[in-house]
C-alpha cells in the first residue's frame, strides 16, 4: 500500500480536493439524569468548519465518519513508537452558512430582507469561500484510530480529547469497508469479489447509506451466528419495513449458517408468504403451523396476509398453494386435547389432599399414590412436564387401587372413585392421540427442534393461544438444553409484534409470557438459544428484555419517548437517533456490541429489499 508519510493513501478522502475542514470547537455536553428515560448523550459535541464547495454539499452526509488528531498523538510514547492517533467521530448534522444571511434581522426593512435572501440563491451556485462555509456537528464514538509507522491501522476503544484547530479527515469508502467488514468476513469466511443483493449468493444485510453520490455500494455484514445467539431487536414505526428486514435476515441465516433453526411466532400470519421462496426450497426442511386446519391450498392462501403490493397478484395465491402442496402445512392441536402430563396428575392428587384434610386415612392413601407416581418417574427418567402414556396409566391404576384398599377409603368417596377408575384418563389419552394424528402439539414442535426442520412458522392470530405456546415451548427448550448441556444447533425464537408477548405491564397470561421470554433471553445464549424482538412501540416493552439485546436495527420512530428508550437502553447518542426521522422505508441505524466489525458504533444502512426476492420468486411461477 502506498503511503503519504505514515498515513495510508486510501484511508481518508477529500472528495477530489473539495473537503478542507478544521475542528473549531469542542463543547462539553452535561449528562442528563433527570429521569430514567431522559436518553444518553455523548460527553462532547464537536463543531467543524469546512470551506464551502457546492459539489461538496451534495456529497456530505450525516453518518459519515471523521478522524481528528488528538493529544495522545503528541505524547512522547506515541512519538517514540512512530504512531499517530486520531479521535473518531460520526457526523450528526451538516448545514451551510452564508455571511450575508447571518446579518439579516427581522427588524430590518422587509424588502431589504427579501432582496438579501433572494441574492443568496445565486451565491450557492458559486464556490465563494469568503462569504460561505459549511458547518458540521459530530459526536465522538469513543474509539481512537491508531496508525502505525508500518501503515498498519487499528481501532482502540476509549476517548481521547481532539486537538482544536487540527485538520479534519473523512474516512474513505475503503476505510469504512475495512472497519465494518474485515473482522466479520474473516469470522464467516466470506471471500466474495463482488457484492450481491441475492440472499443465496451474499450474506450481506444491505449497503451503506453514505457515499451515495459517489455511486459506490459498500456492503455491510454482521456475524450471523453471533446475531442469533446474542439476541437482536428491530424497531420501527408502521410501514418502516420491519417484516421486510426480518425476512431478509432469516434468508441469510438459513442459507449462510450450517444448522441454525428458526421458530417464528407469527401473530400477523404474514411470514408464510414473506418466506414463500424458502418454504418451497427442498433443501430447507420447514413446517408451517396454523390455528385451524387448512383443507386445501385455497384455504391456506386465504388465511395468510400478503403485503399491499401483492394483494391483487394472482401469482401470490399460486405461490402459497405451492407451499401447501409441499405437505409442510399443519395446524396446532388444541391444548384441551393434548396428553396430560405427570405434573397434571400430581396436581390432581394435591387438590384432593387439600380437600381431604379432615380425613387422615384419605391423605395417607393419596400420599402413597403420589410416591408411586414419583417412583415411576424416577425409574423411567421422566420429568413433570413430560406427557403420560398407556403403560403409566395401568401402573397408576394398580397403585391407586392398592392404596385405597390399604387405608380403607370409603367406596362412596370421590377419592375412591378417582383411584379405582382410569377410564377418563384413558379417554383423554385416546382423544389426544387421535387429534395429534391430524395436527401438532407442543411436544411435536419440540421434536422438530431436535429433528431436521430448520424453519418453523407458527402463524396463529389468537394472541392468548400463541402466548401459551411461547411459554411452553421456550420453557421446555431451555430446560432440555440445560439438562443436556447442548449449545447446537443454534435456535432463534422470533417475536414479531413483540408488544403481544413482552409488554412492560400485564397480568395473568401476559405477565407469564413476558417472564418466559425474559428468562429465555437471560439464560438462552449460554445454551445456543437466541431471541429476535420486533415492534413499532419499543416504549411498551419489558425493559429487562431489551437490555439483553446485543444488536439492534432502528428505523423511523416518530415518538420522542421511543427514541429516548432506545438511547437509554443501547447507549447511543440521541442526536444520531434523531437522524432516523428522515429515513425512508428500508433504511436502518445498525449497532451491535458483538456482531459487527466494530463494537457499539452506529452505522446507517440501506437494507436489501425482500420484496425484490419475492417478485423474482413469483416470476418463476409464470402468469
Amino acid at each position: 500500500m502506498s503511503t503519504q508519510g505514515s498515513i495510508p493513501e486510501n484511508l481518508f478522502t477529500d472528495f477530489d480536493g473539495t473537503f478542507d475542514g478544521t475542528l473549531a470547537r469542542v463543547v462539553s455536553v452535561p449528562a442528563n439524569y433527570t429521569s430514567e428515560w431522559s436518553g444518553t448523550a455523548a460527553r462532547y459535541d464537536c463543531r467543524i468548519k469546512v470551506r464551502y464547495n457546492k459539489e461538496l454539499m451534495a456529497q456530505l452526509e450525516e453518518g459519515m465518519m471523521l478522524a481528528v488528531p488528538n493529544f495522545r498523538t503528541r505524547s512522547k510514547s506515541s512519538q517514540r513508537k512512530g504512531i499517530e492517533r486520531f479521535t473518531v467521530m460520526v457526523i450528526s448534522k451538516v448545514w451551510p452558512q452564508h455571511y450575508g444571511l447571518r446579518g439579516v434581522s427581522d427588524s430590518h426593512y422587509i424588502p431589504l430582507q427579501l432582496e438579501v435572501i433572494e441574492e443568496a440563491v445565486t451565491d450557492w451556485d458559486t464556490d465563494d469561500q469568503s462569504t460561505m462555509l459549511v458547518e458540521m456537528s459530530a459526536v465522538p464514538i469513543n474509539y481512537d484510530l491508531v496508525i502505525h509507522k508500518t501503515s498498519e491501522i487499528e481501532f482502540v476503544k476509549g476517548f481521547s480529547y481532539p486537538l482544536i484547530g487540527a485538520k479534519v479527515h473523512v474516512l474513505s469508502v475503503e476505510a469504512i469497508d475495512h472497519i465494518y467488514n474485515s473482522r466479520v468476513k474473516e469470522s464467516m469466511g466470506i471471500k466474495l469479489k463482488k457484492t450481491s443483493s441475492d440472499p443465496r449468493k451474499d450474506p450481506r444485510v444491505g449497503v451503506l447509506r453514505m457515499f451515495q453520490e459517489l455511486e459506490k455500494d459498500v456492503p455491510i455484514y454482521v456475524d450471523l451466528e453471533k446475531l442469533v445467539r446474542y439476541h437482536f431487536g428491530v424497531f420501527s414505526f408502521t410501514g418502516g419495513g420491519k417484516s421486510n428486514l426480518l425476512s431478509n435476515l432469516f434468508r441469510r441465516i438459513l442459507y449462510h449458517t450450517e444448522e441454525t433453526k428458526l421458530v417464528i411466532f407469527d401473530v400477523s400470519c404474514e411470514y408464510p408468504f414473506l418466506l414463500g421462496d424458502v418454504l418451497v426450497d427442498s433443501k430447507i426442511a420447514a413446517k408451517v403451523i396454523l390455528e385451524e386446519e387448512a383443507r386445501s391450498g385455497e384455504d391456506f392462501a386465504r388465511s395468510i396476509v400478503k403485503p399491499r403490493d401483492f394483494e391483487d397478484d394472482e401469482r401470490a395465491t399460486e405461490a402459497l398453494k405451492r407451499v401447501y402442496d409441499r405437505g409442510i402445512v399443519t395446524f396446532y392441536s388444541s391444548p384441551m386435547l393434548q396428553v396430560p402430563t405427570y405434573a397434571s396428575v400430581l396436581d390432581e392428587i394435591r387438590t384432593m389432599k387439600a380437600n381431604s384434610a379432615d380425613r387422615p386415612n384419605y391423605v395417607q392413601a393419596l400420599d402413597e399414590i403420589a410416591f408411586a407416581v414419583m417412583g415411576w418417574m424416577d425409574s423411567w427418567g421422566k420429568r413433570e412436564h413430560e406427557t403420560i402414556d398407556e403403560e403409566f396409566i395401568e401402573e397408576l391404576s394398580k397403585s391407586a387401587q392398592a392404596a385405597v384398599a390399604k387405608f380403607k377409603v370409603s367406596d362412596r368417596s370421590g377419592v375412591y372413585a378417582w383411584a379405582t377408575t382410569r377410564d377418563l384418563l384413558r379417554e383423554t389419552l385416546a382423544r389426544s392421540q387421535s387429534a395429534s394424528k391430524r395436527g401438532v402439539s407442543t411436544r411435536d414442535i419440540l421434536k422438530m427442534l431436535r429433528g431436521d426442520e430448520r424453519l418453523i412458522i407458527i402463524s396463529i392470530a389468537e394472541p392468548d393461544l400463541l402466548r401459551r405456546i411461547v411459554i411452553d415451548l421456550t420453557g421446555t427448550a431451555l430446560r432440555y438444553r440445560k439438562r443436556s448441556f447442548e449449545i447446537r444447533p443454534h435456535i432463534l425464537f422470533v417475536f414479531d409484534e413483540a408488544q403481544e408477548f413482552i409488554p412492560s405491564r400485564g397480568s395473568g397470561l401476559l405477565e407469564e409470557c413476558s417472564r418466559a421470554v425474559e428468562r429465555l433471553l437471560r439464560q438462552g445464549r449460554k445454551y445456543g438459544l437466541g431471541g429476535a424482538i420486533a415492534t413499532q412501540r419499543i416504549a411498551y416493552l419489558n425493559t429487562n428484555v431489551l437490555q439483553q439485546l446485543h444488536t439492534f436495527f432502528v428505523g423511523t420512530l416518530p415518538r420522542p419517548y421511543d427514541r429516548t428508550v432506545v438511547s437509554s437502553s443501547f447507549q447511543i447518542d440521541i442526536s444520531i437517533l434523531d437522524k432516523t426521522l428522515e429515513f425512508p422505508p428500508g433504511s436502518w441505524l445498525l449497532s451491535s456490541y458483538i456482531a459487527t466489525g466494530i463494537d457499539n458504533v452506529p452505522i446507517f444502512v440501506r437494507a436489501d429489499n425482500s420484496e425484490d426476492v419475492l417478485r423474482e420468486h413469483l416470476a418463476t411461477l409464470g402468469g
Side-chain angles (χ1 to χ4, degrees):
M1 185 187 301
S2 61
T3 63
Q4 182 178 0
S6 63
I7 299 178
E9 189 177 82
N10 62 352
L11 181 60
F12 301 136
T13 180
D14 60 5
F15 298 98
D16 296 325
T18 62
F19 184 88
D20 183 5
T22 303
L23 179 62
R25 278 195 301 159
V26 179
V27 181
S28 178
V29 179
N32 183 359
Y33 299 115
T34 56
S35 73
E36 181 182 1
W37 302 120
S38 58
T40 58
R43 294 167 56 200
Y44 299 98
D45 182 18
C46 300
R47 302 295 172 84
I48 298 154
K49 295 185 183 293
V50 185
R51 296 187 187 279
Y52 178 77
N53 181 281
K54 63 179 182 294
E55 290 297 327
L56 179 65
M57 271 303 299
Q59 298 183 69
L60 287 176
E61 296 182 65
E62 289 93 343
M64 286 183 172
M65 297 180 71
L66 308 175
V68 184
N70 58 48
F71 280 94
R72 291 191 180 185
T73 201
R74 297 194 168 190
S75 70
K76 292 181 180 178
S77 174
S78 295
Q79 292 178 357
R80 185 173 63 253
K81 295 176 182 177
I83 64 176
E84 297 186 62
R85 297 181 69 113
F86 296 78
T87 298
V88 182
M89 52 191 71
V90 174
I91 300 176
S92 59
K93 293 178 184 176
V94 179
W95 68 97
Q97 288 279 17
H98 190 290
Y99 182 79
L101 293 178
R102 293 177 68 178
V104 176
S105 168
D106 289 342
S107 63
H108 289 160
Y109 184 50
I110 293 176
L112 176 62
Q113 292 183 49
L114 295 175
E115 183 177 353
V116 173
I117 293 170
E118 290 167 0
E119 283 289 333
V121 175
T122 57
D123 290 342
W124 296 125
D125 289 332
T126 71
D127 292 327
D128 184 0
Q129 297 178 352
S130 64
T131 59
M132 295 175 292
L133 60 78
V134 179
E135 291 204 45
M136 297 191 302
S137 180
V139 178
I141 61 173
N142 297 321
Y143 273 90
D144 270 9
L145 167 64
V146 179
I147 304 175
H148 297 269
K149 60 183 178 182
T150 59
S151 297
E152 179 187 356
I153 66 171
E154 66 172 322
F155 285 83
V156 179
K157 185 77 172 175
F159 172 77
S160 299
Y161 200 92
L163 288 168
I164 298 175
K167 183 176 178 62
V168 177
H169 304 274
V170 180
L171 292 180
S172 67
V173 171
E174 293 81 6
I176 296 293
D177 188 14
H178 175 79
I179 292 168
Y180 282 103
N181 293 325
S182 59
R183 193 171 77 179
V184 176
K185 285 181 177 179
E186 182 180 353
S187 173
M188 294 181 63
I190 300 171
K191 297 180 180 179
L192 296 172
K193 294 182 178 180
K194 187 177 180 181
T195 187
S196 170
S197 61
D198 187 335
R200 295 173 183 267
K201 297 178 180 178
D202 194 342
R204 75 181 196 186
V205 173
V207 296
L208 276 177
R209 273 182 52 86
M210 62 185 86
F211 299 109
Q212 294 183 58
E213 285 295 317
L214 300 180
E215 298 182 353
K216 292 184 178 180
D217 283 347
V218 179
I220 292 297
Y221 297 95
V222 296
D223 189 313
L224 295 175
E225 287 203 356
K226 291 179 179 177
L227 181 75
V228 168
R229 187 171 177 181
Y230 293 92
H231 322 311
F232 67 94
V234 177
F235 312 116
S236 180
F237 196 58
T238 302
K242 295 187 301 297
S243 299
N244 191 307
L245 173 66
L246 284 169
S247 54
N248 250 339
L249 289 173
F250 298 157
R251 286 186 181 89
R252 283 155 173 79
I253 290 168
L254 291 168
Y255 292 143
H256 297 282
T257 64
E258 292 185 2
E259 54 184 1
T260 303
K261 296 174 179 284
L262 303 180
V263 181
I264 304 174
F265 298 105
D266 180 23
V267 72
S268 299
C269 300
E270 58 185 356
Y271 283 96
F273 179 76
L274 294 177
L275 295 173
D277 57 310
V278 179
L279 291 171
V280 295
D281 188 338
S282 60
K283 296 179 181 178
I284 305 291
K287 189 72 72 175
V288 178
I289 302 170
L290 306 178
E291 185 174 351
E292 302 288 344
E293 183 178 9
R295 298 184 180 275
S296 66
E298 288 80 3
D299 284 349
F300 175 59
R302 283 193 294 268
S303 69
I304 301 304
V305 177
K306 308 173 191 67
R308 182 175 53 195
D309 291 347
F310 296 92
E311 287 178 344
D312 299 322
D313 193 332
E314 293 183 0
R315 296 175 304 171
T317 299
E318 180 61 27
L320 288 168
K321 289 180 181 179
R322 294 280 181 93
V323 173
Y324 183 86
D325 291 342
R326 190 183 170 193
I328 61 173
V329 178
T330 184
F331 68 100
Y332 186 73
S333 298
S334 174
M336 69 179 63
L337 296 179
Q338 289 183 20
V339 185
T341 63
Y342 293 99
S344 64
V345 173
L346 291 171
D347 284 342
E348 284 186 35
I349 296 173
R350 293 188 192 102
T351 300
M352 286 187 290
K353 279 181 61 179
N355 295 334
S356 306
D358 57 340
R359 297 173 181 265
N361 59 322
Y362 287 19
V363 172
Q364 288 176 308
L366 291 167
D367 279 338
E368 188 151 311
I369 297 171
F371 289 145
V373 172
M374 289 185 285
W376 171 274
M377 292 169 61
D378 288 340
S379 299
W380 293 95
K382 301 293 185 180
R383 302 284 180 175
E384 287 193 6
H385 66 273
E386 295 184 53
T387 52
I388 64 174
D389 53 24
E390 183 68 36
E391 192 174 358
F392 168 76
I393 293 175
E394 291 301 323
E395 182 64 26
L396 175 63
S397 179
K398 294 177 183 177
S399 300
Q401 290 184 41
V404 295
K406 177 179 178 180
F407 292 98
K408 300 185 177 2
V409 174
S410 171
D411 58 5
R412 289 176 293 180
S413 68
V415 172
Y416 185 90
W418 180 89
T420 55
T421 177
R422 298 288 88 206
D423 291 343
L424 181 59
L425 202 55
R426 290 189 181 93
E427 182 182 346
T428 302
L429 178 60
R431 291 171 61 201
S432 302
Q433 291 173 338
S434 174
S436 64
K437 291 177 182 178
R438 297 186 298 112
V440 296
S441 64
T442 303
R443 186 183 186 187
D444 296 320
I445 301 173
L446 287 166
K447 289 180 180 178
M448 295 176 199
L449 295 183
R450 299 191 288 272
D452 295 330
E453 285 83 0
R454 293 191 61 203
L455 175 60
I456 302 169
I457 303 175
I458 307 175
S459 291
I460 294 178
E462 173 52 49
D464 281 347
L465 175 56
L466 200 52
R467 289 180 193 122
R468 175 52 61 188
I469 297 172
V470 167
I471 294 167
D472 294 342
L473 196 59
T474 58
T476 306
L478 188 58
R479 286 193 296 269
Y480 175 81
R481 284 290 175 97
K482 286 181 177 180
R483 293 199 312 270
S484 61
F485 300 101
E486 292 181 1
I487 62 170
R488 290 186 181 277
H490 291 161
I491 302 174
L492 178 67
F493 294 93
V494 181
F495 305 93
D496 200 359
E497 302 297 340
Q499 68 277 2
E500 298 288 349
F501 305 101
I502 52 169
S504 56
R505 293 184 180 87
S507 59
L509 192 61
L510 258 176
E511 183 181 13
E512 189 178 353
C513 183
S514 185
R515 286 202 307 267
V517 177
E518 181 180 338
R519 184 166 52 251
L520 172 73
L521 267 64
R522 282 185 183 278
Q523 303 174 20
R525 61 177 173 267
K526 292 183 271 186
Y527 306 102
L529 304 178
I533 305 296
T535 185
Q536 60 181 315
R537 284 307 311 272
I538 186 173
Y540 289 164
L541 302 187
N542 178 343
T543 55
N544 292 329
V545 172
L546 296 180
Q547 289 165 4
Q548 304 304 315
L549 306 179
H550 282 60
T551 304
F552 61 94
F553 299 81
V554 182
T556 301
L557 293 173
R559 296 179 177 89
Y561 186 71
D562 289 333
R563 296 197 299 280
T564 54
V565 171
V566 173
S567 177
S568 180
S569 298
F570 304 116
Q571 300 298 303
I572 184 167
D573 188 73
I574 194 71
S575 63
I576 295 177
L577 280 170
D578 286 344
K579 174 65 178 174
T580 62
L581 293 172
E582 305 169 19
F583 280 0
S587 290
W588 302 90
L589 184 152
L590 162 64
S591 188
S592 176
Y593 294 106
I594 195 167
T596 51
I598 184 168
D599 299 340
N600 201 29
V601 173
I603 184 168
F604 298 142
V605 179
R606 186 178 74 247
D608 292 324
N609 190 351
S610 178
E611 292 189 359
D612 292 341
V613 178
L614 290 173
R615 289 188 183 93
E616 290 180 12
H617 172 57
L618 296 185
T620 64
L621 304 179

